[in-house]
Structures are given as C-alpha cells and as structure tokens.
Amino acid sequence: MGQQRRGWMLYGTVFLGLVVSVHTIIKGELFSFGDTTGDQLLEPGNDRSRRLALDKPILFYDGKFNNIYINTNGFVAMAEPSAESTYLGKMPVEFGMIAALHGDLDTSDGVGKVYYRQDASPAILQQAANHINRAFPEEDEVEPEHTVVVTWVGVTSSQNHDNSRVDSLAKQRNSFQLVIASTVTASYAILLYPREQLQFASTVSGGRSLALHVGFSKGLSTYRLFTRQGPYYRITTEDESSVRELAEGTNSGKQGVWVFQIGNPFFTSVVPGTVKNLPMDTDHRSRVLDQATPERYPEEGQQGNPHQGPSHRVQYQPQNPQVVVVDDGDINVNVFTYNSETCANNRNRCSTFADCRDYTSGYCCHCRPGYYGNGIQCLSEGKPQRMNGKVNGRVYVGNSPTPVDFNNNDLHSYVVANDGRAYVAISTIPDNLGPSLQPLSAMGGVIGWAFALEQPGYKNGFSLIGGEFTRKAEVTFLPGQEKLTINQVFSGIDEHDHLVVSTTLDGRVPEIPRGATVQIESYSEIYHYNSNLITSSSTRDYIVSLADGSTVTKTYQWRQSISFQSCPHEEASRMLSVDQVFVMYDSDNQLIRYAMSNKIGDVNGQQEEENACFTGRHGCDTNALCRPQQGAHFTCECHAGFTGDGRNCYDIDECRESPHVCGHHSVCNNQPGSFRCECDTGYQFASDGQTCTEVGRPVDHCAAGSHDCDLPHRAHCSYSGGSSYTCTCLTGFQGDGRVCQDVDECQSNRCHQEAVCSNTEGSFTCRCRPGYYGDGSYCSSERTKTQCETHRDRLLGPQRPRPVPVGQYVPTCDSQGAYEATQCHGSIGQCWCVDRSGQEIPGTRAEITGQTGHPEVVRPPVGPTPRPDVHPLPPGTNLLFAQSGRIEFVPLESYDMKKTKAKTVLHLPEKVIIGVAYDCVEKMVYWTDITSPSISKANLQGGEPVPVITSDLESPEGIAVDHLGRTVFWTDSMKDRIEMATLDGAQRRVLVDTDLVNPRAIIVDPVRGVMYWADWNREAPKIETAAMDGTNRKVLVQNGLGLPNGLTYDSQSSLLCWADAGSHMIECMDPVQGTRRKVKEGIQYPFGMTSYGKNIYYTDWLRDAVVVVDRHAAKETDEFLPQKRTRVYGITMAHTQCPSGQNYCSVNNGGCTHLCLATPSGRTCLCPNNAVGVGCVEGDRY
C-alpha cells in the first residue's frame, strides 16, 4: 500500500510480536494446489523443465527475473538448467537456483506430480503474508503482491524406476512445497515440509548416495575477465539427518515451515527468518535441554569430527576481484572518564543489561556477560544489527559548476554480527554522481569497524565506545586536489535496537565515467587513541576500469577523527583491522552499495590458526555466538535470552519461567531474547527504574458530579486524567466553562437578510418574512424548487406539461415538494419505497395487483448469497467490524458485548474490506474494498451488495457517512486525497489532495460541520481537521505520534480519540480546547476504532481481536476473539436510532442544486467534479 511505494525501506521498526505454532504442518495446511486451483502440470518424467513467464518479476539476490524454470528435481531455476549430470549432488551450482528439496527425482510412474501456478488472489497473498510476518516479527509488515506456488506431490527417487532395484525405496515418496512471494522491493521463499511426507532423504547419482539439498545459489558471477562462484546459502548438510529434520525445525515459528528473504535491490544476501520458538511439549523440552551443553565442532574439512549439528547452515560470500585486504596498523588506546560521581547517583545511566562499578576516580558501566558495548548501550552478542539514517548535503562532480544535492536520502545498513559481514546502501544517487562515489568505501566502513568480528582478546568499535559518537572525515583526491568532507553523527540505539546516524556530505569529487567500475587496492591505517578522540590518516590507491577495458590508477588521501565519551576503566583493546571491502554503483536502482567483511585481530600480523568463528562459516544459529577453541574447534552458544545447543536456539519466556521477575504491581511482557516490565495502571516506576510505586489515586470529578462547571445544558465537563478536568461552554454559550452566558446569534446576522431571527437560549431560529420562501438561512421571493420538483419538471416541463414518453418513470412529489414515500411506475406495474433523496430503498419493490391496486411485496434475496452463516442485523445497538472478506456483528447490552451472539452479517469472499461505516437512516452498511478497488453498500436486513464508487480509486481505506446531509466521505492512501459523494455515488467531489502521504482513518461530525482524519506518514504523522467542505484545514496533533491508525469522536463528551500502533497508546483530546491525555498505554497493533458511551472499541492486528477499553477507568475491560482468527480491520457502531441534531443540509438539501456540505457556520453548495453542463450552482460558503 502507501508505505510500500514511499521511501526506500528494507528493515522496519514496527514490532509485530511472536506467533508460535501448536503443531507440525500437515499436508492439508499447504497452500492450495491441484487441478481445481488452476495449476499447470509439469510433464511427467525425470529432469523435466518448464519456463514460466511471470506477471511480476522475482528478486533473487540482487537480480530481477521475469522468467523462471520449474524442474522435476525439486528446484526452481533463474535460467534454463543444464543437464542434470552437471548439477546433481552439488550446492552451490553454476546457475541461479532455489532448491526446495534438490535431488534426482522422478514422476514417470504417473503418481508423482509437479504442480505450479502464479497466484495473486487475496486468500493466497494473506496466507503468504502470515508466514512471512510471523518469521520476521521485528520488521515492517510485508504485504505481498504476487506469488508463485510450486508443489511436488508424491515424487520418488529416480532409481526407483530401475527394474534392477527391488527394495523398500519403491514405496517411498516425498511431498513438499515452495512459495515465492514478492513485493515491489523484495522477494521471499516459503518452504513447507509436511509431517510424514518426507520418506527418503537421499538419491543416487554417479553410483553414490547423496543427501538431498535445500538452499539457494546465485550461480556464477562474472567480473571483467574473472568468472567465479557467487554467493550461496545452505540449509541442509551432507548428513541425511538434516533433511529428515526439515519437518521438525523452523525459522518461522511453525514446525515444518521455513521462510527466507531471498532478494532485494539493496543487499546481495539471503536473510533467514528469526523465530524458532515452538511449544515446549515434554519430549521437545527434554531434547532441547539435552542439547543445551555446547559441543565442540571442527572447521569444515578438518578430520576428527566429534559431532555434527542437526542443521548446519552455511552462507558464503565469495572472494571477488573487488575485495581487498586492509593491512593492520598499531593502535595506542587511552580511554577516559565520565565524571567523578558514584554509581549510587548514576546507576540509571547504565544500560538495562549493564552493571555499574565504582572506582577511585568515578564510576563506569560494564555490559553483562552475553552483551557487548560501552555499558551505556549494550547489545546482545551475535544478534544481527541494523542501522537507519539520512544523507544530506551537496557534492560537485568533476568541473561541473552545479552540485548534486542530497535531501534526506535514505541510508540503511545490515550487519551479520556473528560473521562480521556489513552491508551499507544509499538510495536515490543519480547516474552523474553514483560512479564517482565508488572510491569512498570508507564512508560506510565505520559501520564495519563498529560491529567487526572479534578475535579473542580484541574488541570492535561498539564494544569500546558504544553507539554515540561523531565522525568527521576529509578526502583529498590527487592530483586535482578535489576535497570532500564527511560528517556523521551517530545518535545511539533506538527502542528497536537500531543504530541511528545522520550524514552530511560537502565538497567535490573527480568524475568517474558512467559504466566504469572501481577496484580498491590494499591499504594500511594507524589508529591513534587519545582523550575523547580517535584519529587516523592514510593514502589509498584505487583502480578505475573503463568501459573500453583500459584501467587508470588514482590516489586519494584520507583523514578522519572519531570523538566520543567512554570509561577509563574499560579493558581496552590495542588493535583495529578491516579485512574486506566491496563497492558497486547500481545504476538501475540508483544505489551506491558498500559491503565489507570485518575482523578485529592482531596488528602485528600474527595470524591465529584459521577458525570457523573468524571466517564466518560456523553454522551457528543467528541467535548464537561462535566461541573459538583450540585450533580449528569452536562452540556455538545461544546468546542471552535464548536456549538450545547453539545450532538451534529457542527464545526463553522469562515471564513464564520467572513469574515474579518484575516485582509487585507490574506485568511482564516477553520479547525475543529478553523481556519488559510495565507498571500496572495507577503505578509508575520509581527513580530506580525497577520498583513500581502507587500514583496518587485519581478522581474523575466529571463522573462523580463534584466539578464546578456550569449547568449541563450550558457547559460540558471533560475528564483529562488524574484528578484534572476542564469546563467548556456548549455551542451557543460563551464563558470560561464555569460561568456560561447565552450568545445572541441574531447580533451577528446569522439569518438571511429577508428573514427574522429569534434568539433562544443556546441557539436561534430563522424564518423567512411573508412573501419569501426558504429555511431562513436562505430566502427567495420565488419558492425554490425541491429536488423532487426539479426532477419532475425536467420530464414534464415547468409551465406547460408535455406528453410523457411511453415507459418513462416520473416521480410524484407531496404538497411540500418532497418525494412521496411510495413511488410507482405504471408501465412496469411496480411500486417501491424511496428515501428523502428519491433513491430506492433496497428490498421494497412490489407488484401492483390488478384489481385493488395494492402492491404485493416481492421478497428480496438475503445475502449476497443464501448462506446458513449469514444473518440479518438484530434489533438494538451492534458493533460492526470487517475481517478480510466478511463483515460481522457483535450485539451490545448496555456497554457489554454479547459475544455468544456474534454472527456474520455479510459474506464477500475474495474481497479485502478495510473500512466500514453505518447509515442509521436507511440501516445500510458502507465499506471500502482494496481488491477491486471500490466502495459498496448493502442493507443489513437483507439484499445484494450495491456498488457505489467503482472508478478512479486505488486504495480506499477510511470511510464515514454523514446521515444528515446524505453523503459519504473516504480516504485513498494511494491517491493521497480525501473525497466525498452522494450516497448513490452519482455526485462526487475531491475535498483535500495536498500535503497527504498515507491518509487512513476519517470521521465526520455533521452537527458541527467538521471532519477529522489521520495521516500515518512515518516521516511526519499527524491528525488534522477541516470543515466538511475541506476549508479551514489545520493540524490538531503532530507531536508524540507514531502510526495513528484509528479515530473516533464522542459527541457527548466532545472528545476526539485515536489509537496509535507506533506509540502503542490510546489518547484523547478536546479539539476545541486542545487538552490531551493518555487513556491506555501498552496496546499492541490497533487498526480500526469506534466509541460508545464510556467505552472505546478497537481492532488489534496482533491479537486478531476486538478490544474494549473503559475510557474513564483507563483500562482494558474485555475482548472478543472472532471464530475466524485472521486480521480484523475497520469497526463502527450501528445504533438503533440516529443521534440527535441537525445541520443546514438536512432540510431540502440546504437549498443547493447539487452537493450540500455542512460547515461550522452553515453550509456550502458545491458542484461535483464531473459537473459539465448540468446547471450546477456553487453558493457562497456561509
């Protein structure tokens, strides 16, 4: 949706929580496949391939592919595969391959089959999204646009068809599935291995039994004259046990399901899912505990293997010609003091995962075992690290007098901490600058230095100085003397454990022609540590390879300084070394990319015996540390907060294992690898940051009646948290809220000049003078025709009635000019009921009987289709909420949900319903659908869905109905605008189309003529308001917002409330007074929102529930879990009767010819956007 097309985003910050499976996946839980799903069938046989032209490309590593090849042998290729003799038993291979279960397989017997298809149906996309988002809970939510589903069913080993072999293999068959799901910026592989469907783990090739392979291979990579093996990622090993355990293991939180990000335009790396949590049944728990003691593993290729782990995963990045080794240099380290205070007064300055120690000259913070950092900031050892930031400034290229400006260009980095690989990319780099930035690999090198792979006795940059420092660098290019300065401010680790950086570039670089590549030669640097400062300087050579094959060697001088604060008692390392650097400009995606493999070791060149911990090819879990031992041996240890054998690590639920870990008056929330304590309502953390102490018990004086506001018919009391409240005079009164006096509206000429104004307490009335006609707000000497009269006279003629064409329907109007409630058409012999705008009320059409003339009701269908699970809306007040392809209701009794009586009121398969709104006049529900996209309505007492808006929509989301003016309002997050239309969709008008990024929720207050909406733009979220005609627009809330999704307005309390999925809070404010208070903190991922009396009802994507919060008590009181546990979207209230009140548009359409829109001071007459030659008159706004 909107966020996917805006900005350059790979790794997000919204925490989505953990969802764990309760059982191993079975065959019936695979993505649907077979003849009934539209699958194609691969030709039977052995080593059969079929090209599939894709509707949307797949991203694999850093490439983009419009065609793939489906193969019998358990894989999908990015190019046409060579003969199987060239690749069987190999991983990696020489061509791009996704190996789902790669071996010598066969379907010649007619039993085994290979099905494949492309699928973009909402159900399949949602199923893929569920697997991906469960596997990457800390990333931004993924919403795929396209999938490829490949299913191997009952395939056998090819040797089973050799008549000379008669053994049990002939009965063994494998079934498994690969789903490739893609967004605009990334592709994911979902591998599914059902329980008891993997019956053999090897095939025979060349006379040898070879284990089946699962993994990814980029294939051969060519650089200039060199061709060598590209990156690959192995999930299984040469051991058959690793294949058998595919159905038992996971990286997605569901046994037998494995999820990997396999491609994006930014980093050439496979990223595995991070959730290995599974329910600990007795057998599984004992197995994990038995494996908890770390074992010793030799490096691959070493003799004397004492034990091989069950799932040895290897990700390999090849040595390319561009990769260079940086020589070591001496380092003098002098670290320094914080101050001369003690831990007693500064303990809370240390990280949660650090201990404070007093020294004679002051205090220091030290990260606990299992964590690293400077004590102020500590990270879990071995955990992948991300960095986000912006790049600003200007750079001149060559002799150009015009600079290239950087304006908040995105900078992102990803570091595989347990093998030292770091990737940095900067977006939106134009072709006239990108090639010339290639020599500046060190612009991202500071990231590699900060998170380099540590050898025993040495520490990387983050371990020494943490994540808060300033780096300044100056580059002088020779011989032209061009200079470029680089200023970077690292602001530390945010709440999502992401490093935050701001970069500014200024200066000039020599021009490198387009199409040229850069190879950086070896270089050495000496880092000098002084008080609060690290400095280094060097001279570096680089080779420019031009498009014609010629090369040029050039030189630049590099100077940099890093200033920071640290502790004088830290055990300081005395070396720094970076081993590999890779640079490339991607002109297709306008990205400059830097990759480096970083190690911290001995500056004197003394090489430790090669160990897997230093090469990164250790196969430890991504949540584990590699501990080097003597020689080539090593151990894998799960880092803090996880348990397991190091090859497979599982999250420890500290909250369940230690229920009292958080102390009294607090609750414990488990997090991956850690936990969080939160104080109960009415309590707050004391100065020690751990103890929850009681806050002064608040009193709601508004509810208790102990306030000093004026009488209820003059003033309103608004509770604002604690024991505070505000008094506000009601409309029609003025004062401070404690004393309110009537406003004489007649003094401000609120009525028409030909009308008489009569003041009343809190209000006024307008009446046209004798001889004039109108509602007082508008008077005319000629009686204004009503909508019905205009409709009728257009057909009959206003003065001399003309003959009615045969078969023409002409409406009938009553004495006041309004539509008769019952309209009939004699030519077809039918009558029906209409609303005030003359629109037919669905389900009321009846036949006219011959003699009596009485209509005989024709019963409408209930539906959209007759189904036993679809029920009409019962009497009373109900909650309506959307859940993908259905709208459900929950009856309310007082404020409580009658959950046992919840049912489906509308079933719309294949639709994704986002927003819902209710029209209390006609008992109709309106909804937005992003699959069509469209806006539709249906009568909740029965009847087919009726399309309202079906064109010029991209992603309609929020929706609201003005029951007085008979109009509907909605937001479109792709077109970035707010629109409205009459309830039949015939007249349509754009109200707001500027300064919107991701508008979602919208509500209207028709009595006051005001609308409110939320824009969850991640860069600048806001909540805005305007008159219902789009004028007088202003920002209400801008500070303290994260991702405002839901909005609701309570007309009784005059409070505007919102639910924020970024700050995880519900807040309310008085939009007139501007007072704001928190209602509930610690909510998870709210989406839709509505209110009724004291209660706020919101939908939660993580809980798949409708949650109830008592606004006065500021606490959650109930939740409803629908039978169908999927994402819950919009929610609204279906009242028994319409709320009281009226506006200028509720009578005679406000005297407007077309659109009437209420405003705080009256109404505005507008023409629809498509009004051409229809006699529309736009009136003054008053």
Side-chain angles (χ1 to χ4, degrees), residues 627-672:
R627 296 290 191 190
Q629 305 296 321
Q630 185 174 5
H633 293 278
F634 64 92
T635 61
C636 297
E637 298 178 10
C638 297
H639 59 67
F642 292 84
T643 185
D645 64 349
R647 300 283 179 150
N648 292 280
C649 298
Y650 304 90
D651 176 51
I652 297 173
D653 189 344
E654 295 89 351
C655 300
R656 184 171 62 181
E657 296 192 2
S658 303
H660 304 294
V661 65
C662 287
H664 297 293
H665 308 300
S666 64
V667 293
C668 179
N669 287 328
N670 188 53
Q671 309 287 335

Side-chain angles (χ1 to χ4, degrees), residues 1023 1040-1041 1043-1048 1055-1069 1076-1091 1094-1100 1103 1107-1112 1114-1117:
I1023 296 173
L1041 295 178
L1043 206 161
N1045 268 343
L1047 277 180
T1048 185
L1055 286 181
L1056 176 72
C1057 300
W1058 63 92
D1060 194 315
S1063 65
H1064 307 290
M1065 286 193 297
I1066 294 175
E1067 295 185 76
C1068 293
M1069 76 173 300
R1076 175 178 174 182
R1077 71 179 182 91
K1078 297 176 183 177
V1079 174
K1080 184 74 173 70
E1081 298 183 83
I1083 61 177
Q1084 295 191 31
Y1085 203 98
F1087 188 85
M1089 189 180 191
T1090 189
S1091 59
K1094 66 174 183 176
N1095 282 348
I1096 290 174
Y1097 305 83
Y1098 72 90
T1099 58
D1100 193 297
R1103 297 167 64 171
V1107 185
V1108 186
V1109 171
D1110 186 319
R1111 179 163 47 86
H1112 297 159
K1115 65 179 182 179
E1116 180 180 324
T1117 58

Side-chain angles (χ1 to χ4, degrees), residues 445-461:
V446 68
I447 310 301
W449 163 76
F451 298 102
L453 187 64
E454 297 176 338
Q455 295 185 18
Y458 300 95
K459 294 187 176 183
N460 60 28

Side-chain angles (χ1 to χ4, degrees), residues 863-865 906-908 924-925 927 936-939 942-948:
T865 56
L906 202 62
H907 187 73
L908 300 164
M924 303 279 282
V925 63
W927 67 88
S936 304
K937 64 181 178 179
N939 191 306
E944 293 288 340
V946 178
V948 177

Side-chain angles (χ1 to χ4, degrees), residues 751-758 764-770 772-779:
C751 300
H752 192 270
Q753 61 183 3
E754 298 298 340
V756 176
C757 180
S758 300
F764 66 101
T765 60
C766 298
R767 291 181 182 175
C768 293
R769 301 179 188 275
Y772 290 86
Y773 303 90
D775 60 1
S777 61
Y778 177 79
C779 299

